[in-house]
Amino acid sequence: MSEKEVVLLDFWPSPFGMRLRIALAEKGIDYEYKEEDLWNKSPLLLKSNPVHKKIPVLIHKGKPVCESLIALQYVEEVWPHKSPLLPSDPYARARARFWADYIDKKLYDLGRRTWATKGEEQEAAKKEFLDSLKLLEAELGDKPYFGGDKFGFVDAVLIPYYSWFYTYETCGNFSIEADCPKLIFWAKRCLEKESVKKSLPPQEKVYGFVLELKKRLGLL
Amino acid sequence: MAGDAVKLLGAWPSPVVMRARIALNLKSVGYEFVEENLGNKSQLLLQSNPVHKKIPVLIHGDKPVCESLIIVQYIDEVWSSGPGILPSDPYDLATARFWAAYIDDKWFPSLTGIAKAQDDGAKKAAIEQVSEGLALLEDAFRKCSKGKTFFGGDRVGYLDIAFGCFLGWLRVTEKMNGVELISRSKTPQLAQWAERFCADPAVKDVMPETDKLAEFAKVLFAKFKNPPSQ
């Protein structure tokens, strides 16, 4: 068992894991990072998340918190004073939660379909994926961050997908920047932050991982 | 801010709309309920929820709040002097949110899976899935309630609302398929909890009668078996 109060069960390319890495880094929380092999899940993972058996799992003082958005809010509630990610106004909080929910409902599955499918299905996924990003870009508007002047909840939820953009673009043969230049600008601003820089893997590394995954799944 | 007018766009058969109504009732907040015709959505609905175009939408003053569980949290935060809906301990809150997400992402879809099953084999499998989920929720109740009446303790709370809103549809499913899903023998804690939840003053006037819901369901399920050809 770990000496540290906080343990994160994670998998390096996971955008869901990345958002927790960012939040913990933002708040200066010391934790133990445990890399899981998703084809050989550890007994700790299976015990900590028996219902879904998925990463990330945040373990705080031995108690597991599953589902990344839930764990993100937990981190925010337990360590509210350092770099708060959610605003204090209830309406602004509701809007942040809404967009975080929207991001999770759309981007992972659509993004996956841009690299895992071909032909018509892939074209449809690309279009829907770009439409979703454009909607997010409109929500960002002229603000430096989704959180306003400061990096916030929605920023932490969305920025991990940026590490997958090269993969989506290369596998899907399209350019995200062409359709969503403001979003790319926002992403690069986020990447200037230490917490984000150290939590996101290089885009090329993710691409290499996906190529291996495609081979494994017989998709090449 | 708490004093601004409250409107709720919804539809009487919708379980997720009920979540918002229960929360408003718990806080004794008066509101105008606008019954939407989902085959002909109002301009107000389309303007207030342009992204998903779905109910419920809470309109507080001129501000729309969408997504039922987000609405419940909003209500708890705005009318903070009323009885608390979300658990105050962060770990208990994470646990409640976990099970609410499980109910929305896995359990309720498995329940509608029974109605959508095209043959007896598929139906049997769907029923089995729902029952497995209920066994997990029975266990969750034991852990969350800590010996008290509701998931939330002494009072109806977030997880009670998130799960309890589906009891009407659960009863309809049981009736239409001749099965017992929540029962004193299989899920004793949930059986007791269900009775107490439905009898709660904040719930009983907004929970539709099973017979009325069953009539509505018959029409709806006929569409699953014979989807319109457009």
Side-chain angles (χ1 to χ4, degrees), chain B residues 59-128:
Chain B
I59 306 177
H60 186 204
D62 56 358
K63 299 190 289 242
V65 184
C66 308
E67 295 299 300
S68 63
L69 293 178
I70 292 176
I71 292 171
V72 171
Q73 291 180 85
Y74 175 81
I75 290 167
D76 198 40
E77 286 170 12
V78 169
W79 289 277
S80 50
S81 56
I85 295 175
L86 268 65
S88 47
D89 172 73
Y91 193 74
D92 290 343
L93 177 51
T95 304
R97 282 180 170 141
F98 174 86
W99 287 112
Y102 169 80
I103 284 156
D104 275 358
D105 298 340
K106 299 271 189 283
W107 186 78
F108 185 62
S110 73
L111 188 69
T112 57
I114 296 174
K116 292 179 180 168
Q118 296 292 325
D119 59 59
D120 283 344
K123 187 162 279 192
K124 201 162 170 244
I127 290 170
E128 186 55 45

Side-chain angles (χ1 to χ4, degrees), chain A residues 11 38 43-44 47-48 53 71 100 112 123 142 145 155-157 163 189 191 194 208 220:
Chain A
F11 180 53
L38 299 187
L44 180 59
K47 192 179 82 158
S48 305
K53 305 175 176 53
R112 195 192 57 83
E123 289 306 306
D142 292 320
Y145 299 104
D155 303 280
V157 169
S163 66
R189 178 182 292 117
L191 264 124
E194 199 53 43
L220 270 184

Side-chain angles (χ1 to χ4, degrees), chain A residues 127-147:
Chain A
K127 180 176 184 309
E128 238 195 289
F129 182 73
L130 284 172
D131 285 345
S132 297
L133 290 184
K134 280 185 225 166
L135 193 62
L136 287 163
E137 205 181 43
E139 174 58 23
L140 177 67
D142 292 320
K143 306 194 293 289
Y145 299 104
F146 284 90

